[in-house]
Structure formats: structure tokens, C-alpha cells
Amino acid sequence: MIDLLKVKDKNFVIMGVANERSLAWGVAKSLHQAGANLIFTYRKERSYTKLTKLLEKTDVEAQQVLACDVNDDESIKKAFSKIGEEAGIIHGVVHSIAFAHSEDLKNNFVNTTREGYAFAQDTSSYSLIAVAREAQPFMTEGGSIIAMSYLGAERVVEGYNVMGVAKAALESSVKYLAMDLGSSNIRVNAISAGAIKTLAAKGVPSFNEILHKIEETAPLKRNVTQEEVGDMSLAMLSNLSRGVTGEIVYVDSGYNILG
Ligand code: 1JT
């Protein structure tokens, strides 16, 4: 078969696998099927344990597994210099990281605290800029960076609150980064994924309602899967999307087009 993807034996950094349901794990599975080399970063010890178990029980292999705390510039610098040392060239980065205090997703948006706002922005949005800056020196053959977003960035989705504002900043950052890094042939895009039951969605009281509404009303009349997000991510990381940058690509059964 002709190799249209051109990801085989290339090096991809995947940030944000917390467990089997993580979107980042979906991306890992798709990249692995296509023959890519995978480098994982984690923050929590718990995520490291889960990731190790996933790597044991599947045929997905890791070239490297490193700690990286995206709230800490030094930690990001250290992780990427270790990756650069061992892998040499980085061809792609998957940013699948977001966090906010649970009270900021439960309370009314008007009660968002200054600290909660800053924390959501720092973890979920600024981190992409810091990661792109540290990855760039190693992306000497050009490449692709993707981030994960959600419809709540542009529309009011009840309860998404401070995360919606953080994702709005993330989507805008994708566009400014695409402009900056374009001359190095590094593309930057976001996937706006439909609602999927991940660890992040746990504890969202209205989540089942959201899933049902999508089944009833979205053009495809069903919810999307982690694998579908993984496959579009693969496309955005691959040579197939070489003319696309600064874009927000929806993998959401078409739900976002509804009026
Ligand atoms: C975070 C959380 C980021 C949940 C997220 C997320 N991106 C998507 N989701 C799922 C979701 C969450 C809510 C929602 C709709 C979808 C939680 C931890 C912080 C990061 O509201 C209707 C709240």
C-alpha cells in the first residue's frame, strides 16, 4: 500500500493519558496502528500506573514515558530536552490536557474565582503555548501539533463554565501558534470532540442528558467514539492534512452545525 500518512517510524509525544478512556489513549491507538513511535508524558502517579498497565495489556509500545507537569515551565523544559536527547527529532505533539476545580464546574459561572479562572487557563490553555515553545527546537523536519477542545468554547453548554473560557483561549492560541510556527512547517490544529464519557466527564451531573440529546438530534444520530477522535487526530498529525493549519476540526457527529 502507498504510505499516505507518513507517520511510520516518526516520533510523536502524547500528553494526557489518564486511563483507557482518555482521548489521548485513542490517539495513541490510532498512531500505533499506523506504525508511529510513541512517547508519553504524565503528571499524576496514578496516570503513570494506569498507562503502564495499558502498555502491558495491549500491543501499544512506548519509546519513552516521562513525567511532565504542564503548570511548571521547568518541568516542560526538562521533559522535552529528555525527549529530544533520546528521540532526536519530534514530528508531532498531542496536547490532551485540561483541568479546572470541580466547584467551578458546579457553581454558577458568575461565581468563578480569580484563582479558579487562572488555574483553568494555566493548565488547559497556556500549557499549549509552553509545550509548543519547548517542542519547536526538536521539530526540525516540520510537523504537527494538535490540542483537544469542546463545543463549550464557543457556545454556552450548561456547567462547562470556566472550562469553556479556557477552551476559547486554547482555540485562539491554536490560531496564533499556527501563524508563528507555520514558517517552520509546523502546523497547529485543534480537534473539537463531541461528548465522550472520559474521566473528565465523570461527576458532570448533566452528562448523560447531553449524550442522549446528541443521539436524538445530531446529524449522525449517535455519539462519537474515542477511536473516531483518534483517527481524525491521526489524520491531522499525518501528511494527509499537510495543507491544514490553525483549524478547529469537529469530530462530533455533526452536532455543532445545529441552530
Ligand atoms: C475538563 C473536565 C475538561 C471535563 C471536560 C473537559 N473537556 C470536556 N469535558 C467533558 C464535559 C464536562 C462538562 C460539561 C460537558 C462536557 C472536567 C475536569 C476539568 C477539565 O458540561 C456540560 C462539565
Side-chain angles (χ1 to χ4, degrees), residues 99-135:
F99 211 60
H101 298 317
S102 63
E103 59 266 29
D104 288 326
L105 302 174
K106 282 190 199 112
N107 299 341
N108 286 340
F109 179 68
V110 73
N111 291 325
T112 306
T113 62
R114 194 177 293 274
E115 193 278 325
Y117 185 95
F119 177 67
Q121 286 284 343
D122 187 50
T123 312
S124 315
S125 171
Y126 181 77
S127 60
L128 178 70
I129 303 168
V131 163
R133 185 167 58 245
E134 298 308 327

PDB file of all heavy atoms in Angstrom, residues 99-135:
ATOM      1  N   PHE A  99      -7.750  20.970  33.007  1.00  0.00           N
ATOM      2  CA  PHE A  99      -8.190  20.810  34.388  1.00  0.00           C
ATOM      3  C   PHE A  99      -8.801  22.094  34.912  1.00  0.00           C
ATOM      4  O   PHE A  99      -8.427  23.184  34.493  1.00  0.00           O
ATOM      5  CB  PHE A  99      -7.038  20.345  35.290  1.00  0.00           C
ATOM      6  CG  PHE A  99      -7.529  19.491  36.428  1.00  0.00           C
ATOM      7  CD1 PHE A  99      -8.197  18.298  36.179  1.00  0.00           C
ATOM      8  CD2 PHE A  99      -7.358  19.897  37.740  1.00  0.00           C
ATOM      9  CE1 PHE A  99      -8.683  17.517  37.231  1.00  0.00           C
ATOM     10  CE2 PHE A  99      -7.835  19.119  38.793  1.00  0.00           C
ATOM     11  CZ  PHE A  99      -8.495  17.937  38.537  1.00  0.00           C
ATOM     12  N   ALA A 100      -9.772  21.919  35.786  1.00  0.00           N
ATOM     13  CA  ALA A 100     -10.391  23.043  36.492  1.00  0.00           C
ATOM     14  C   ALA A 100     -10.844  22.511  37.837  1.00  0.00           C
ATOM     15  O   ALA A 100     -11.012  21.299  37.999  1.00  0.00           O
ATOM     16  CB  ALA A 100     -11.569  23.584  35.707  1.00  0.00           C
ATOM     17  N   HIS A 101     -11.028  23.406  38.793  1.00  0.00           N
ATOM     18  CA  HIS A 101     -11.550  22.970  40.085  1.00  0.00           C
ATOM     19  C   HIS A 101     -13.000  22.539  39.906  1.00  0.00           C
ATOM     20  O   HIS A 101     -13.766  23.207  39.200  1.00  0.00           O
ATOM     21  CB  HIS A 101     -11.464  24.104  41.107  1.00  0.00           C
ATOM     22  CG  HIS A 101     -10.064  24.566  41.372  1.00  0.00           C
ATOM     23  ND1 HIS A 101      -9.011  23.690  41.525  1.00  0.00           N
ATOM     24  CD2 HIS A 101      -9.524  25.805  41.499  1.00  0.00           C
ATOM     25  CE1 HIS A 101      -7.900  24.367  41.748  1.00  0.00           C
ATOM     26  NE2 HIS A 101      -8.183  25.654  41.724  1.00  0.00           N
ATOM     27  N   SER A 102     -13.377  21.433  40.562  1.00  0.00           N
ATOM     28  CA  SER A 102     -14.724  20.889  40.349  1.00  0.00           C
ATOM     29  C   SER A 102     -15.811  21.880  40.766  1.00  0.00           C
ATOM     30  O   SER A 102     -16.877  21.932  40.156  1.00  0.00           O
ATOM     31  CB  SER A 102     -14.886  19.555  41.064  1.00  0.00           C
ATOM     32  OG  SER A 102     -14.757  19.742  42.449  1.00  0.00           O
ATOM     33  N   GLU A 103     -15.513  22.712  41.774  1.00  0.00           N
ATOM     34  CA  GLU A 103     -16.551  23.681  42.202  1.00  0.00           C
ATOM     35  C   GLU A 103     -16.838  24.706  41.098  1.00  0.00           C
ATOM     36  O   GLU A 103     -17.946  25.215  41.000  1.00  0.00           O
ATOM     37  CB  GLU A 103     -16.187  24.369  43.523  1.00  0.00           C
ATOM     38  CG  GLU A 103     -14.897  25.150  43.545  1.00  0.00           C
ATOM     39  CD  GLU A 103     -13.711  24.341  44.061  1.00  0.00           C
ATOM     40  OE1 GLU A 103     -13.698  23.091  43.904  1.00  0.00           O
ATOM     41  OE2 GLU A 103     -12.784  24.967  44.615  1.00  0.00           O
ATOM     42  N   ASP A 104     -15.840  24.963  40.244  1.00  0.00           N
ATOM     43  CA  ASP A 104     -16.045  25.925  39.153  1.00  0.00           C
ATOM     44  C   ASP A 104     -16.908  25.342  38.035  1.00  0.00           C
ATOM     45  O   ASP A 104     -17.390  26.082  37.171  1.00  0.00           O
ATOM     46  CB  ASP A 104     -14.698  26.398  38.596  1.00  0.00           C
ATOM     47  CG  ASP A 104     -13.993  27.331  39.576  1.00  0.00           C
ATOM     48  OD1 ASP A 104     -14.687  28.087  40.276  1.00  0.00           O
ATOM     49  OD2 ASP A 104     -12.749  27.292  39.649  1.00  0.00           O
ATOM     50  N   LEU A 105     -17.066  24.028  38.008  1.00  0.00           N
ATOM     51  CA  LEU A 105     -17.947  23.391  37.020  1.00  0.00           C
ATOM     52  C   LEU A 105     -19.337  23.160  37.610  1.00  0.00           C
ATOM     53  O   LEU A 105     -20.274  22.840  36.885  1.00  0.00           O
ATOM     54  CB  LEU A 105     -17.352  22.060  36.540  1.00  0.00           C
ATOM     55  CG  LEU A 105     -15.962  22.122  35.908  1.00  0.00           C
ATOM     56  CD1 LEU A 105     -15.435  20.734  35.610  1.00  0.00           C
ATOM     57  CD2 LEU A 105     -15.958  22.958  34.641  1.00  0.00           C
ATOM     58  N   LYS A 106     -19.439  23.304  38.908  1.00  0.00           N
ATOM     59  CA  LYS A 106     -20.726  23.055  39.572  1.00  0.00           C
ATOM     60  C   LYS A 106     -21.458  24.350  39.862  1.00  0.00           C
ATOM     61  O   LYS A 106     -22.659  24.463  39.666  1.00  0.00           O
ATOM     62  CB  LYS A 106     -20.486  22.294  40.890  1.00  0.00           C
ATOM     63  CG  LYS A 106     -20.214  20.815  40.673  1.00  0.00           C
ATOM     64  CD  LYS A 106     -20.235  20.052  42.001  1.00  0.00           C
ATOM     65  CE  LYS A 106     -19.515  18.716  41.862  1.00  0.00           C
ATOM     66  NZ  LYS A 106     -18.261  18.672  42.637  1.00  0.00           N
ATOM     67  N   ASN A 107     -20.706  25.324  40.360  1.00  0.00           N
ATOM     68  CA  ASN A 107     -21.337  26.600  40.752  1.00  0.00           C
ATOM     69  C   ASN A 107     -21.712  27.413  39.524  1.00  0.00           C
ATOM     70  O   ASN A 107     -21.304  27.096  38.406  1.00  0.00           O
ATOM     71  CB  ASN A 107     -20.364  27.407  41.614  1.00  0.00           C
ATOM     72  CG  ASN A 107     -19.996  26.669  42.889  1.00  0.00           C
ATOM     73  OD1 ASN A 107     -20.693  25.740  43.308  1.00  0.00           O
ATOM     74  ND2 ASN A 107     -18.877  27.057  43.498  1.00  0.00           N
ATOM     75  N   ASN A 108     -22.470  28.472  39.736  1.00  0.00           N
ATOM     76  CA  ASN A 108     -22.776  29.391  38.639  1.00  0.00           C
ATOM     77  C   ASN A 108     -21.485  30.037  38.143  1.00  0.00           C
ATOM     78  O   ASN A 108     -20.594  30.353  38.937  1.00  0.00           O
ATOM     79  CB  ASN A 108     -23.743  30.475  39.104  1.00  0.00           C
ATOM     80  CG  ASN A 108     -25.154  29.932  39.271  1.00  0.00           C
ATOM     81  OD1 ASN A 108     -25.491  28.886  38.709  1.00  0.00           O
ATOM     82  ND2 ASN A 108     -25.966  30.629  40.036  1.00  0.00           N
ATOM     83  N   PHE A 109     -21.410  30.271  36.846  1.00  0.00           N
ATOM     84  CA  PHE A 109     -20.203  30.842  36.237  1.00  0.00           C
ATOM     85  C   PHE A 109     -19.838  32.179  36.861  1.00  0.00           C
ATOM     86  O   PHE A 109     -18.655  32.498  37.030  1.00  0.00           O
ATOM     87  CB  PHE A 109     -20.400  30.991  34.726  1.00  0.00           C
ATOM     88  CG  PHE A 109     -19.204  31.592  34.048  1.00  0.00           C
ATOM     89  CD1 PHE A 109     -18.014  30.884  33.980  1.00  0.00           C
ATOM     90  CD2 PHE A 109     -19.268  32.868  33.496  1.00  0.00           C
ATOM     91  CE1 PHE A 109     -16.888  31.436  33.369  1.00  0.00           C
ATOM     92  CE2 PHE A 109     -18.152  33.427  32.892  1.00  0.00           C
ATOM     93  CZ  PHE A 109     -16.968  32.712  32.822  1.00  0.00           C
ATOM     94  N   VAL A 110     -20.860  32.945  37.220  1.00  0.00           N
ATOM     95  CA  VAL A 110     -20.618  34.286  37.777  1.00  0.00           C
ATOM     96  C   VAL A 110     -19.814  34.217  39.083  1.00  0.00           C
ATOM     97  O   VAL A 110     -19.168  35.188  39.468  1.00  0.00           O
ATOM     98  CB  VAL A 110     -21.966  35.042  37.963  1.00  0.00           C
ATOM     99  CG1 VAL A 110     -22.758  34.487  39.146  1.00  0.00           C
ATOM    100  CG2 VAL A 110     -21.765  36.553  38.087  1.00  0.00           C
ATOM    101  N   ASN A 111     -19.805  33.069  39.706  1.00  0.00           N
ATOM    102  CA  ASN A 111     -19.063  32.907  40.959  1.00  0.00           C
ATOM    103  C   ASN A 111     -17.663  32.336  40.781  1.00  0.00           C
ATOM    104  O   ASN A 111     -17.008  31.982  41.768  1.00  0.00           O
ATOM    105  CB  ASN A 111     -19.875  32.037  41.930  1.00  0.00           C
ATOM    106  CG  ASN A 111     -21.118  32.755  42.425  1.00  0.00           C
ATOM    107  OD1 ASN A 111     -21.095  33.974  42.620  1.00  0.00           O
ATOM    108  ND2 ASN A 111     -22.209  32.038  42.582  1.00  0.00           N
ATOM    109  N   THR A 112     -17.202  32.222  39.530  1.00  0.00           N
ATOM    110  CA  THR A 112     -15.834  31.752  39.278  1.00  0.00           C
ATOM    111  C   THR A 112     -14.850  32.648  40.026  1.00  0.00           C
ATOM    112  O   THR A 112     -14.924  33.870  39.920  1.00  0.00           O
ATOM    113  CB  THR A 112     -15.510  31.818  37.762  1.00  0.00           C
ATOM    114  OG1 THR A 112     -16.518  31.107  37.056  1.00  0.00           O
ATOM    115  CG2 THR A 112     -14.148  31.197  37.473  1.00  0.00           C
ATOM    116  N   THR A 113     -13.943  32.029  40.753  1.00  0.00           N
ATOM    117  CA  THR A 113     -12.955  32.825  41.497  1.00  0.00           C
ATOM    118  C   THR A 113     -11.792  33.207  40.585  1.00  0.00           C
ATOM    119  O   THR A 113     -11.550  32.564  39.557  1.00  0.00           O
ATOM    120  CB  THR A 113     -12.380  32.025  42.691  1.00  0.00           C
ATOM    121  OG1 THR A 113     -11.705  30.871  42.166  1.00  0.00           O
ATOM    122  CG2 THR A 113     -13.469  31.583  43.654  1.00  0.00           C
ATOM    123  N   ARG A 114     -11.077  34.232  40.962  1.00  0.00           N
ATOM    124  CA  ARG A 114      -9.881  34.672  40.224  1.00  0.00           C
ATOM    125  C   ARG A 114      -8.877  33.524  40.140  1.00  0.00           C
ATOM    126  O   ARG A 114      -8.294  33.266  39.095  1.00  0.00           O
ATOM    127  CB  ARG A 114      -9.261  35.866  40.968  1.00  0.00           C
ATOM    128  CG  ARG A 114      -8.236  36.643  40.179  1.00  0.00           C
ATOM    129  CD  ARG A 114      -7.755  37.847  40.977  1.00  0.00           C
ATOM    130  NE  ARG A 114      -8.790  38.842  41.181  1.00  0.00           N
ATOM    131  CZ  ARG A 114      -9.088  39.823  40.311  1.00  0.00           C
ATOM    132  NH1 ARG A 114      -8.419  39.940  39.189  1.00  0.00           N
ATOM    133  NH2 ARG A 114     -10.049  40.697  40.563  1.00  0.00           N
ATOM    134  N   GLU A 115      -8.739  32.809  41.254  1.00  0.00           N
ATOM    135  CA  GLU A 115      -7.769  31.705  41.312  1.00  0.00           C
ATOM    136  C   GLU A 115      -8.238  30.544  40.433  1.00  0.00           C
ATOM    137  O   GLU A 115      -7.432  29.961  39.698  1.00  0.00           O
ATOM    138  CB  GLU A 115      -7.585  31.273  42.775  1.00  0.00           C
ATOM    139  CG  GLU A 115      -6.401  30.361  43.022  1.00  0.00           C
ATOM    140  CD  GLU A 115      -6.677  28.889  42.716  1.00  0.00           C
ATOM    141  OE1 GLU A 115      -7.817  28.445  42.947  1.00  0.00           O
ATOM    142  OE2 GLU A 115      -5.764  28.206  42.221  1.00  0.00           O
ATOM    143  N   GLY A 116      -9.524  30.215  40.497  1.00  0.00           N
ATOM    144  CA  GLY A 116     -10.056  29.110  39.690  1.00  0.00           C
ATOM    145  C   GLY A 116      -9.951  29.395  38.198  1.00  0.00           C
ATOM    146  O   GLY A 116      -9.630  28.503  37.401  1.00  0.00           O
ATOM    147  N   TYR A 117     -10.198  30.642  37.851  1.00  0.00           N
ATOM    148  CA  TYR A 117     -10.084  31.083  36.448  1.00  0.00           C
ATOM    149  C   TYR A 117      -8.638  30.936  35.970  1.00  0.00           C
ATOM    150  O   TYR A 117      -8.369  30.346  34.927  1.00  0.00           O
ATOM    151  CB  TYR A 117     -10.536  32.542  36.345  1.00  0.00           C
ATOM    152  CG  TYR A 117     -10.591  33.093  34.940  1.00  0.00           C
ATOM    153  CD1 TYR A 117     -11.771  33.087  34.208  1.00  0.00           C
ATOM    154  CD2 TYR A 117      -9.453  33.644  34.347  1.00  0.00           C
ATOM    155  CE1 TYR A 117     -11.822  33.602  32.918  1.00  0.00           C
ATOM    156  CE2 TYR A 117      -9.490  34.147  33.065  1.00  0.00           C
ATOM    157  CZ  TYR A 117     -10.670  34.140  32.356  1.00  0.00           C
ATOM    158  OH  TYR A 117     -10.713  34.639  31.081  1.00  0.00           O
ATOM    159  N   ALA A 118      -7.701  31.462  36.785  1.00  0.00           N
ATOM    160  CA  ALA A 118      -6.284  31.425  36.420  1.00  0.00           C
ATOM    161  C   ALA A 118      -5.789  29.983  36.318  1.00  0.00           C
ATOM    162  O   ALA A 118      -5.026  29.643  35.404  1.00  0.00           O
ATOM    163  CB  ALA A 118      -5.462  32.204  37.441  1.00  0.00           C
ATOM    164  N   PHE A 119      -6.254  29.141  37.227  1.00  0.00           N
ATOM    165  CA  PHE A 119      -5.811  27.739  37.234  1.00  0.00           C
ATOM    166  C   PHE A 119      -6.286  26.998  35.986  1.00  0.00           C
ATOM    167  O   PHE A 119      -5.510  26.267  35.348  1.00  0.00           O
ATOM    168  CB  PHE A 119      -6.326  27.037  38.502  1.00  0.00           C
ATOM    169  CG  PHE A 119      -5.975  25.576  38.566  1.00  0.00           C
ATOM    170  CD1 PHE A 119      -4.658  25.166  38.700  1.00  0.00           C
ATOM    171  CD2 PHE A 119      -6.969  24.612  38.476  1.00  0.00           C
ATOM    172  CE1 PHE A 119      -4.325  23.820  38.737  1.00  0.00           C
ATOM    173  CE2 PHE A 119      -6.639  23.259  38.517  1.00  0.00           C
ATOM    174  CZ  PHE A 119      -5.327  22.863  38.640  1.00  0.00           C
ATOM    175  N   ALA A 120      -7.554  27.213  35.609  1.00  0.00           N
ATOM    176  CA  ALA A 120      -8.097  26.559  34.404  1.00  0.00           C
ATOM    177  C   ALA A 120      -7.348  27.045  33.159  1.00  0.00           C
ATOM    178  O   ALA A 120      -6.998  26.251  32.285  1.00  0.00           O
ATOM    179  CB  ALA A 120      -9.594  26.841  34.277  1.00  0.00           C
ATOM    180  N   GLN A 121      -7.090  28.348  33.090  1.00  0.00           N
ATOM    181  CA  GLN A 121      -6.374  28.910  31.929  1.00  0.00           C
ATOM    182  C   GLN A 121      -4.938  28.381  31.867  1.00  0.00           C
ATOM    183  O   GLN A 121      -4.447  28.025  30.796  1.00  0.00           O
ATOM    184  CB  GLN A 121      -6.334  30.444  32.030  1.00  0.00           C
ATOM    185  CG  GLN A 121      -7.656  31.115  31.732  1.00  0.00           C
ATOM    186  CD  GLN A 121      -8.002  31.173  30.245  1.00  0.00           C
ATOM    187  OE1 GLN A 121      -7.147  30.998  29.381  1.00  0.00           O
ATOM    188  NE2 GLN A 121      -9.267  31.393  29.942  1.00  0.00           N
ATOM    189  N   ASP A 122      -4.272  28.366  33.013  1.00  0.00           N
ATOM    190  CA  ASP A 122      -2.867  27.960  33.070  1.00  0.00           C
ATOM    191  C   ASP A 122      -2.712  26.510  32.618  1.00  0.00           C
ATOM    192  O   ASP A 122      -1.880  26.184  31.773  1.00  0.00           O
ATOM    193  CB  ASP A 122      -2.345  28.150  34.501  1.00  0.00           C
ATOM    194  CG  ASP A 122      -0.855  27.911  34.595  1.00  0.00           C
ATOM    195  OD1 ASP A 122      -0.119  28.505  33.776  1.00  0.00           O
ATOM    196  OD2 ASP A 122      -0.426  27.137  35.456  1.00  0.00           O
ATOM    197  N   THR A 123      -3.550  25.643  33.177  1.00  0.00           N
ATOM    198  CA  THR A 123      -3.440  24.206  32.916  1.00  0.00           C
ATOM    199  C   THR A 123      -3.931  23.848  31.517  1.00  0.00           C
ATOM    200  O   THR A 123      -3.314  23.026  30.839  1.00  0.00           O
ATOM    201  CB  THR A 123      -4.308  23.418  33.933  1.00  0.00           C
ATOM    202  OG1 THR A 123      -4.030  23.903  35.234  1.00  0.00           O
ATOM    203  CG2 THR A 123      -4.016  21.937  33.868  1.00  0.00           C
ATOM    204  N   SER A 124      -5.037  24.448  31.095  1.00  0.00           N
ATOM    205  CA  SER A 124      -5.736  23.965  29.906  1.00  0.00           C
ATOM    206  C   SER A 124      -5.406  24.748  28.650  1.00  0.00           C
ATOM    207  O   SER A 124      -5.635  24.251  27.545  1.00  0.00           O
ATOM    208  CB  SER A 124      -7.252  24.041  30.147  1.00  0.00           C
ATOM    209  OG  SER A 124      -7.573  23.542  31.423  1.00  0.00           O
ATOM    210  N   SER A 125      -4.880  25.962  28.811  1.00  0.00           N
ATOM    211  CA  SER A 125      -4.661  26.810  27.639  1.00  0.00           C
ATOM    212  C   SER A 125      -3.210  27.273  27.530  1.00  0.00           C
ATOM    213  O   SER A 125      -2.539  27.019  26.527  1.00  0.00           O
ATOM    214  CB  SER A 125      -5.622  28.004  27.708  1.00  0.00           C
ATOM    215  OG  SER A 125      -5.303  28.939  26.732  1.00  0.00           O
ATOM    216  N   TYR A 126      -2.690  27.930  28.558  1.00  0.00           N
ATOM    217  CA  TYR A 126      -1.298  28.405  28.480  1.00  0.00           C
ATOM    218  C   TYR A 126      -0.337  27.245  28.233  1.00  0.00           C
ATOM    219  O   TYR A 126       0.667  27.396  27.517  1.00  0.00           O
ATOM    220  CB  TYR A 126      -0.863  29.175  29.741  1.00  0.00           C
ATOM    221  CG  TYR A 126       0.562  29.635  29.568  1.00  0.00           C
ATOM    222  CD1 TYR A 126       0.847  30.724  28.762  1.00  0.00           C
ATOM    223  CD2 TYR A 126       1.629  28.903  30.100  1.00  0.00           C
ATOM    224  CE1 TYR A 126       2.168  31.093  28.498  1.00  0.00           C
ATOM    225  CE2 TYR A 126       2.937  29.260  29.850  1.00  0.00           C
ATOM    226  CZ  TYR A 126       3.199  30.359  29.051  1.00  0.00           C
ATOM    227  OH  TYR A 126       4.488  30.701  28.778  1.00  0.00           O
ATOM    228  N   SER A 127      -0.664  26.087  28.794  1.00  0.00           N
ATOM    229  CA  SER A 127       0.215  24.920  28.665  1.00  0.00           C
ATOM    230  C   SER A 127       0.513  24.582  27.207  1.00  0.00           C
ATOM    231  O   SER A 127       1.605  24.125  26.882  1.00  0.00           O
ATOM    232  CB  SER A 127      -0.402  23.719  29.375  1.00  0.00           C
ATOM    233  OG  SER A 127      -1.663  23.408  28.818  1.00  0.00           O
ATOM    234  N   LEU A 128      -0.431  24.832  26.310  1.00  0.00           N
ATOM    235  CA  LEU A 128      -0.184  24.538  24.889  1.00  0.00           C
ATOM    236  C   LEU A 128       0.932  25.432  24.341  1.00  0.00           C
ATOM    237  O   LEU A 128       1.780  24.969  23.580  1.00  0.00           O
ATOM    238  CB  LEU A 128      -1.467  24.725  24.061  1.00  0.00           C
ATOM    239  CG  LEU A 128      -1.275  24.479  22.555  1.00  0.00           C
ATOM    240  CD1 LEU A 128      -1.029  22.990  22.262  1.00  0.00           C
ATOM    241  CD2 LEU A 128      -2.459  24.992  21.742  1.00  0.00           C
ATOM    242  N   ILE A 129       0.920  26.683  24.745  1.00  0.00           N
ATOM    243  CA  ILE A 129       1.940  27.635  24.275  1.00  0.00           C
ATOM    244  C   ILE A 129       3.313  27.202  24.783  1.00  0.00           C
ATOM    245  O   ILE A 129       4.282  27.133  24.025  1.00  0.00           O
ATOM    246  CB  ILE A 129       1.606  29.063  24.765  1.00  0.00           C
ATOM    247  CG1 ILE A 129       0.209  29.478  24.282  1.00  0.00           C
ATOM    248  CG2 ILE A 129       2.666  30.056  24.292  1.00  0.00           C
ATOM    249  CD1 ILE A 129      -0.339  30.742  24.948  1.00  0.00           C
ATOM    250  N   ALA A 130       3.373  26.872  26.064  1.00  0.00           N
ATOM    251  CA  ALA A 130       4.646  26.458  26.679  1.00  0.00           C
ATOM    252  C   ALA A 130       5.173  25.169  26.039  1.00  0.00           C
ATOM    253  O   ALA A 130       6.367  25.042  25.765  1.00  0.00           O
ATOM    254  CB  ALA A 130       4.464  26.280  28.182  1.00  0.00           C
ATOM    255  N   VAL A 131       4.259  24.237  25.762  1.00  0.00           N
ATOM    256  CA  VAL A 131       4.644  22.959  25.152  1.00  0.00           C
ATOM    257  C   VAL A 131       5.138  23.193  23.717  1.00  0.00           C
ATOM    258  O   VAL A 131       6.170  22.657  23.305  1.00  0.00           O
ATOM    259  CB  VAL A 131       3.454  21.966  25.178  1.00  0.00           C
ATOM    260  CG1 VAL A 131       3.654  20.816  24.202  1.00  0.00           C
ATOM    261  CG2 VAL A 131       3.246  21.432  26.596  1.00  0.00           C
ATOM    262  N   ALA A 132       4.428  24.018  22.960  1.00  0.00           N
ATOM    263  CA  ALA A 132       4.832  24.305  21.577  1.00  0.00           C
ATOM    264  C   ALA A 132       6.225  24.939  21.552  1.00  0.00           C
ATOM    265  O   ALA A 132       7.065  24.593  20.718  1.00  0.00           O
ATOM    266  CB  ALA A 132       3.813  25.234  20.917  1.00  0.00           C
ATOM    267  N   ARG A 133       6.484  25.836  22.491  1.00  0.00           N
ATOM    268  CA  ARG A 133       7.783  26.524  22.553  1.00  0.00           C
ATOM    269  C   ARG A 133       8.919  25.542  22.817  1.00  0.00           C
ATOM    270  O   ARG A 133       9.992  25.648  22.226  1.00  0.00           O
ATOM    271  CB  ARG A 133       7.744  27.599  23.649  1.00  0.00           C
ATOM    272  CG  ARG A 133       8.999  28.441  23.723  1.00  0.00           C
ATOM    273  CD  ARG A 133       8.807  29.674  24.585  1.00  0.00           C
ATOM    274  NE  ARG A 133       8.402  29.351  25.942  1.00  0.00           N
ATOM    275  CZ  ARG A 133       7.220  29.676  26.481  1.00  0.00           C
ATOM    276  NH1 ARG A 133       6.326  30.345  25.782  1.00  0.00           N
ATOM    277  NH2 ARG A 133       6.931  29.342  27.722  1.00  0.00           N
ATOM    278  N   GLU A 134       8.682  24.577  23.709  1.00  0.00           N
ATOM    279  CA  GLU A 134       9.739  23.613  24.041  1.00  0.00           C
ATOM    280  C   GLU A 134       9.878  22.524  22.982  1.00  0.00           C
ATOM    281  O   GLU A 134      10.961  21.973  22.804  1.00  0.00           O
ATOM    282  CB  GLU A 134       9.485  22.981  25.417  1.00  0.00           C
ATOM    283  CG  GLU A 134       9.493  23.967  26.574  1.00  0.00           C
ATOM    284  CD  GLU A 134      10.746  24.843  26.623  1.00  0.00           C
ATOM    285  OE1 GLU A 134      11.833  24.369  26.242  1.00  0.00           O
ATOM    286  OE2 GLU A 134      10.621  26.019  27.028  1.00  0.00           O
ATOM    287  N   ALA A 135       8.796  22.225  22.271  1.00  0.00           N
ATOM    288  CA  ALA A 135       8.851  21.184  21.238  1.00  0.00           C
ATOM    289  C   ALA A 135       9.502  21.712  19.957  1.00  0.00           C
ATOM    290  O   ALA A 135      10.212  20.977  19.264  1.00  0.00           O
ATOM    291  CB  ALA A 135       7.446  20.661  20.944  1.00  0.00           C
TER     292      ALA A 135
END
